[in-house]
Amino acid sequence: MLHTVLRRRALGESVERIELDLIIPVGKRKGRSSVAGICRALAEHEKAQACPEAVEAAQADFTALRRRSATTPTSA
C-alpha cells in the first residue's frame, strides 16, 4: 500500500484522492481506508528515510529483545 501511495504522490495526486482508491486488506479496519492512516504511513516513511541508522538500531534492539524473551523461560 505504501508503494502505491508514494508512487501516486510523486505523480502529484492528493492524499484525499488516493484514499478513495485504497482499501485496507486485513486487520481491524479491513475494507476501509483513511486519510489519517495514509498520512501516518507517509510520515513514518519520511522518518525512516531521514534517519536510516536510527531505524536500523531500533530494529536491532527489537530483534535482540525478541530473542531474549524467546529463550527466557516463563514462570508459572
Side-chain angles (χ1 to χ4, degrees):
M1 190 162 87
L2 180 60
H3 173 75
T4 300
V5 172
L6 291 171
R7 181 177 46 81
R8 290 178 65 177
R9 286 291 291 159
L11 295 172
E13 288 190 58
S14 69
V15 172
E16 291 82 8
R17 175 67 186 110
I18 297 168
E19 186 261 339
L20 296 174
D21 297 330
L22 291 180
I23 296 174
I24 298 169
V26 296
K28 181 177 164 183
R29 296 189 47 82
K30 181 178 179 179
R32 296 186 260 164
S33 65
S34 72
V35 171
I38 293 171
C39 290
R40 274 192 305 274
L42 288 171
E44 289 175 17
H45 177 73
E46 287 298 318
K47 280 188 213 175
Q49 297 300 309
C51 303
E53 63 283 344
V55 172
E56 289 174 21
Q59 288 173 340
D61 290 346
F62 179 71
T63 301
L65 285 172
R66 286 185 65 193
R67 285 186 185 143
R68 246 182 287 160
S69 66
T71 59
T72 304
T74 57
S75 58

